[in-house]
Amino acid sequence: MRITAGEGLTAHAEFEVTEHHQGAVGLAHGGLLATAFDEVLGSLNWLLQAPAVTARLETNFKKPVQVGKVLHVDAQIIGQQGRKVFAQAIGHLDGPQGEVAATADALFIQVPLEHFRDHGRKEDVERAEQERTAGAPGIVEVSP
């Protein structure tokens, strides 16, 4: 999947459904489509420069997505209240203005970096901290 930041607090992604993403024969697995939405919606938090975790994700499936199709997902942050970030996305078939296949609403909670140190796999957290020290894009600390 390729995710691109848009204007303001928006992002666009293209997710190509392959045979590895099948649920029912010839169709995308709904759980994988929900995962794709979570990935795009979660990427919006980078635009806020604050780490966040998914608290709630609701996906509504409107039309089956066939293997071989590309789901075009447009996502946006629609509000923020304290540490809560509200976002929504829409997935189109056959281009960004095509038929709506699915929609999603999400709630993210901004967390301090300690959240990942306390709960993440140690070697992954250490590698991320080394990359950050080496000049990779930084993340702003968020107070609980």
Side-chain angles (χ1 to χ4, degrees), residues 29-91:
H29 188 288
L32 284 171
L33 292 178
T35 300
F37 273 105
D38 188 41
E39 191 68 19
V40 179
L41 288 161
S43 73
L44 292 168
N45 290 290
W46 288 102
L47 300 174
L48 297 175
Q49 297 184 340
V53 295
T54 307
R56 181 183 56 79
L57 175 67
E58 180 180 325
T59 308
N60 297 296
F61 302 101
K62 310 279 186 185
K63 179 177 174 56
V65 178
Q66 294 177 344
V67 169
K69 292 284 187 176
V70 175
L71 186 68
H72 297 263
V73 180
D74 289 305
Q76 65 180 337
I77 292 176
I78 58 170
Q80 186 172 1
Q81 183 178 37
R83 294 174 41 219
K84 294 179 181 179
V85 177
F86 301 91
Q88 58 186 200
I90 186 165

Side-chain angles (χ1 to χ4, degrees), residues 123-141:
E123 57 267 27
D124 295 331
V125 173
E126 287 174 354
R127 185 178 65 249
E129 288 175 335
Q130 289 169 356
E131 289 171 357
R132 183 175 177 207
T133 302
I139 300 174
V140 191
E141 294 278 347

Side-chain angles (χ1 to χ4, degrees), residues 17-28 65-70:
V17 177
T18 72
E19 64 275 0
H20 302 291
H21 304 121
Q22 282 187 93
V25 177
L27 298 175
V65 178
Q66 294 177 344
V67 169
K69 292 284 187 176
V70 175

